[in-house]
Structures are given as structure tokens and as C-alpha cells.
Amino acid sequence: INAEYMGKKRSPVMGLIAASVWLTVAFAVVVTHSGFAGAVELSAPNPHEHWGPGQYTSVETYGRAVWTLIHSIAANINDSPINVGSIPLFLRRTLSVWLNTLAQIYPHPESAVLFRQYLLDNPPELLNHHVFSQWTCEFHNWVSANINPPKGAFPCELFDTRWRYKAENPRVEPGQANKPASPFL
């Protein structure tokens, strides 16, 4: 499905990337100006409770949210209909800027250093859907190996099975059986 924007067809992924860049920047401004910077390693006892003084979002919560966004974009980005087997150039540039911006403003300092170092040593591979998906999977496996005791790497050949949205067979999370399937929930 393509959306009409200023007379040009745009992929929904492009809108998702633009929205996530805006939200990432807005989040960084709020964190920077509210005094929460540097306190993200503390976690609230229950993420659904009211947030009060001394309760902050955990590093793990940030990590899961960011990886979900990165993997979902990589799995659902479409190759160009004109140049089959290639992500359009404007989208490759947008993704590259977005990943580098995210690495600069990531709210956990140690994770941000790892993120920036990986991007320097392994620039994003944005040739096509498959290559970008595999790059994000390898990146995540590298981060996991550097911050956690090895539990085993995610098998990257299963990336699309895990992350690609399929309207005809949406993944149902436990306790969500009666809720409508939506890629935005």
C-alpha cells in the first residue's frame, strides 16, 4: 500500500521512518532537558505502575523497543519496483541518516558507544531488503554477545519469519487473541 504525499507515492515504511526520527529526536530533547539523562540504568518494579521519583526506564526496555523498531523496518522495507532487488536510493540515504542519528542520541551512554562503534566498523548494508535484514540481525547478535553472557545468536536465516508483517497470518501475542491485528500496535 502506498500513500499519497505531496503528489508523490510514498511507502508506509517511509512514513514510519520519518515518524521514528521525529520521535527519537523529541525523546532525546525531553530526556536531556528533564534531568533523566544518565539515570536510565534503573528500572521500575512494574512497567505498568505510575512512574514516580526515582523510577526510570531500564536499559533493557530501551533496547527491546529500539531493536523492535530497527528489525521491523528492516523486515518490512520493500525493494524498488523500478530497480528490482535494490532499496531506492532516497530510502537508503534516509535509513543511513536515521541509524546514525539514533546512535548519536541513544539515551544509554554505554550502549550509544557500542552503537556508534558498530556503525563505524560495519556501515549499514542497505543494498536490498535481504542484505539490510541480515545486517541488522548480525548487528543485534554482535551487541548481545558484547553485553550478555552468550545465550546463542539468533539464527539470521529466520529473520523474516520472526519480523516480517503478514496481514494474512499476523503474529498473535499471548493475551491478545481477541484484539484486532495491526502492525501499529
Side-chain angles (χ1 to χ4, degrees):
I1 299 172
N2 285 328
E4 191 81 22
Y5 176 72
M6 295 181 72
K8 297 183 179 181
K9 295 279 186 180
R10 295 286 187 229
S11 162
V13 172
M14 198 57 203
L16 179 61
I17 292 169
S20 65
V21 169
W22 183 88
L23 289 171
T24 304
V25 171
F27 175 78
V29 169
V30 168
V31 168
T32 303
H33 294 292
S34 64
F36 289 132
V40 295
E41 60 272 24
L42 304 174
S43 65
N46 180 346
H48 302 292
E49 287 181 1
H50 173 73
W51 293 92
Q55 295 179 318
Y56 304 100
T57 304
S58 70
V59 173
E60 293 80 14
T61 301
Y62 284 130
R64 280 189 294 276
V66 169
W67 283 121
T68 297
L69 180 61
I70 290 172
H71 290 327
S72 296
I73 289 171
N76 292 289
I77 197 160
N78 294 318
D79 293 339
S80 170
I82 297 167
N83 188 6
V84 177
S86 176
I87 296 173
L89 182 59
F90 78 93
L91 196 49
R92 281 186 266 162
R93 289 179 179 154
T94 302
L95 287 166
S96 181
V97 167
W98 177 70
L99 286 165
N100 282 287
T101 301
L102 186 58
Q104 294 299 317
I105 63 175
Y106 196 82
H108 183 255
E110 291 83 8
S111 299
V113 168
L114 280 176
F115 199 157
R116 289 191 296 269
Q117 188 60 51
Y118 192 85
L119 290 177
L120 284 173
D121 296 342
N122 306 282
E125 295 181 23
L126 302 166
L127 177 64
N128 59 39
H129 158 80
H130 178 74
V131 171
F132 182 44
S133 295
Q134 296 306 295
W135 179 87
T136 65
C137 184
E138 291 165 8
F139 179 18
H140 194 164
N141 286 340
W142 179 85
V143 169
S144 294
N146 277 282
I147 63 171
N148 295 322
K151 296 184 208 173
F154 180 82
C156 292
E157 66 275 6
L158 299 177
F159 186 89
D160 277 352
T161 303
R162 165 65 178 91
W163 292 104
R164 193 150 177 114
Y165 175 73
K166 292 179 179 60
E168 67 278 0
N169 188 17
R171 213 177 115 161
V172 178
E173 299 294 334
Q176 303 291 315
N178 296 327
K179 295 189 178 179
S182 171
F184 304 108
L185 298 178

